[in-house]
């Protein structure tokens, strides 16, 4: 890396937007810094990069949205830790992150039973109007809120909420308490923007990017046992799909 950050900007392709040239220079600087490292104040950084604070802020905002930086009001900008990896297969989030040495806890936000409307009935392969279970949990990794999961499950599952809270894992609860083994899953992933409620729970700005994952799981007989909507922080997660 050059000792002159402004020179790095000047060396960038001149056809790139100015803010993007600044973003490139910042990315090079960040690559050499440890997580938690504080960037210089905006005024100083703008002077070093020979740009306006408005242009600098656009570059900083993109890097923050991408999870490269963390911005703290009144404190400054800091190098973010690496994104968490979630391996999507037949296992649960509890299993995947636990295998990576991360501590995952959950907070039950709500638990009820509702009558499936036409859309939910289609996902769960049950008649419309059938009563199904709904659990909404906040998923917390190393004391940091990471995802909001709302699971819908058909069938008679007495004491489901209490057992999931005690066990910590929905899939382990289905297996150990109800004899339900997950045999196949289908995931769809798309982007979304955090609603004010989601932003409040995940401690991110309203409108911040989310990874929205919808999963339908079947048992060994092919019956649908779960349809879950999960909203993950886009700045902290990346997904890897793996089949054995």
């Amino acid at each position: 890396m050059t000792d002159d950050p402004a020179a790095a900007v000047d060396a960038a392709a001149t056809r790139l937007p100015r803010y993007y040239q600044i973003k490139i220079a910042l990315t090079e600087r960040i690559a050499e810094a440890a997580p938690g490292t504080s960037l210089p104040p905006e005024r100083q950084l703008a002077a070093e990069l020979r740009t306006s604070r408005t242009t600098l802020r656009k570059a900083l905002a993109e890097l923050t949205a991408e999870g490269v930086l963390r911005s703290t009001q009144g404190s400054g900008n800091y190098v973010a830790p690496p994104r968490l990896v979630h391996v999507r297969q037949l296992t649960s989030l509890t299993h995947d992150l636990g295998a990576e040495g991360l501590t995952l806890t959950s907070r039950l936000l709500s638990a009820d039973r509702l009558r499936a409307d036409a859309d939910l009935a289609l996902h769960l392969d049950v008649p419309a109007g059938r009563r199904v279970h709904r659990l909404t949990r906040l998923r917390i990794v190393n004391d940091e809120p990471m995802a909001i999961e709302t699971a819908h499950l058909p069938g008679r599952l007495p004491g489901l909420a209490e057992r999931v809270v005690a066990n910590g894992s929905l899939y382990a609860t289905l297996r150990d308490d109800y004899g339900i083994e997950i045999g196949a899953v289908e995931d769809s992933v798309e982007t979304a923007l955090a609603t004010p409620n989601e932003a409040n729970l995940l401690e991110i700005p309203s409108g911040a990017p989310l990874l929205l994952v919808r999963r339908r799981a079947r048992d060994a007989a092919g019956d649908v046992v779960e349809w879950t909507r999960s909203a993950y922080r886009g700045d902290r997660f990346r997904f890897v799909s793996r089949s054995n």
Side-chain angles (χ1 to χ4, degrees):
M1 178 181 175
T2 178
D3 292 332
D4 182 0
V9 174
D10 294 337
T14 56
R15 293 183 181 179
L16 291 175
R18 179 61 176 168
Y19 90 90
Y20 200 82
Q21 296 179 35
I22 299 299
K23 182 180 175 182
I24 291 172
L26 289 171
T27 300
E28 291 181 355
R29 172 183 289 212
I30 292 165
E32 298 182 356
T37 300
S38 174
L39 268 61
E42 286 186 5
R43 187 181 300 278
Q44 176 185 337
L45 201 54
E48 291 178 7
L49 297 174
R50 301 174 190 165
T51 191
S52 69
R53 293 180 70 178
T54 299
T55 299
L56 173 65
R57 284 171 179 165
K58 186 172 182 180
L60 291 171
E62 281 203 2
L63 290 171
T64 299
E66 292 169 2
V68 178
L69 290 176
R70 285 188 175 179
S71 180
T72 303
Q73 186 71 28
S75 178
N77 297 288
Y78 300 86
V79 177
R83 290 191 184 200
L84 301 174
V85 178
H86 183 195
V87 181
R88 300 296 288 182
Q89 43 189 356
L90 297 184
T91 51
S92 64
L93 181 65
T94 303
H95 177 277
D96 290 348
L97 296 184
E100 296 174 24
L102 299 170
T103 301
L104 175 68
T105 57
S106 300
R107 190 173 91 219
L108 183 65
L109 300 177
S110 64
D112 60 1
R113 297 194 70 192
L114 71 157
R115 296 193 180 277
D117 60 18
D119 184 61
L120 181 55
L122 182 63
H123 287 300
L124 291 176
D125 195 20
V126 298
R130 175 72 57 83
R131 291 180 67 84
V132 298
H133 298 268
R134 178 172 59 185
L135 297 178
T136 300
R137 295 179 294 163
L138 179 65
R139 309 291 262 164
I140 303 164
V141 180
N142 291 351
D143 298 323
E144 185 176 20
M146 289 293 170
I148 303 167
E149 291 186 354
T150 300
H152 302 83
L153 304 100
R156 293 190 67 257
L157 302 169
L160 177 64
E162 294 79 4
R163 296 184 185 197
V164 170
V165 169
N167 192 308
S169 168
L170 174 60
Y171 281 12
T173 300
L174 291 177
R175 181 190 65 237
D176 299 341
D177 293 356
Y178 304 103
I180 299 173
E181 289 277 2
I182 303 300
V185 299
E186 177 184 307
D187 290 337
S188 66
V189 183
E190 60 187 275
T191 58
L193 300 179
T195 65
N197 182 58
E198 290 170 331
N200 180 58
L201 288 169
L202 295 173
E203 299 178 6
I204 56 177
S206 182
L210 298 175
L211 289 174
L212 190 61
V213 181
R214 293 183 175 90
R215 164 171 284 202
R216 183 158 66 165
R218 298 178 182 271
D219 62 16
D223 295 325
V224 178
V225 297
E226 172 212 12
W227 186 75
T228 294
R229 177 192 185 276
S230 302
Y232 293 86
R233 286 178 51 169
D235 64 333
R236 296 292 289 119
F237 265 92
R238 66 184 178 91
F239 290 92
V240 175
S241 180
R242 181 181 301 158
S243 60
N244 297 324

